[in-house]
Amino acid sequence: MESWADALDRLDTGEEVASMEMSSGPSILIQLTGERDCPEVIVEDESGSMVTVRVPLVPPDDWIADQRQRLRQVMDHWGPILSA
């Protein structure tokens, strides 16, 4: 959950975000300006199936704030349970 919070902070400053970068598994990249001049999510499985999937998105203007709110709700609910 903390890595997603960090990713949202980086996306909010205009940076691309990579997640699950592993030498032996799929990786996920979020580009704010993809091949179609809109944000896209790219999933690459170079070490396994050699498949790359690009999903162009047209999120609402406030999508990062919305994701932060959703993350806060998840952390508020699960944080106390996981730290017990």
Side-chain angles (χ1 to χ4, degrees):
M1 289 188 277
E2 290 175 9
S3 65
W4 182 235
D6 293 338
L8 290 171
D9 289 342
R10 291 194 316 268
L11 287 166
D12 202 22
T13 64
E15 291 181 53
E16 293 180 355
V17 173
S19 178
M20 296 171 49
E21 289 183 297
M22 296 181 230
S23 60
S24 62
S27 63
I28 298 173
L29 175 67
I30 300 173
Q31 291 182 329
L32 293 176
T33 305
E35 290 181 354
R36 293 180 174 88
D37 292 326
C38 66
E40 67 182 12
V41 175
I42 303 164
V43 180
E44 294 182 321
D45 185 17
E46 293 179 355
S47 63
S49 64
M50 300 297 292
V51 170
T52 298
V53 177
R54 292 177 174 270
V55 181
L57 305 170
V58 182
D61 291 337
D62 65 343
W63 74 275
I64 292 176
D66 179 61
Q67 287 297 308
R68 283 188 173 131
Q69 179 183 3
R70 292 171 187 265
L71 178 60
R72 239 184 332 273
Q73 290 172 341
V74 169
M75 292 175 82
D76 288 347
H77 178 78
W78 287 103
I81 294 169
L82 295 174
S83 63

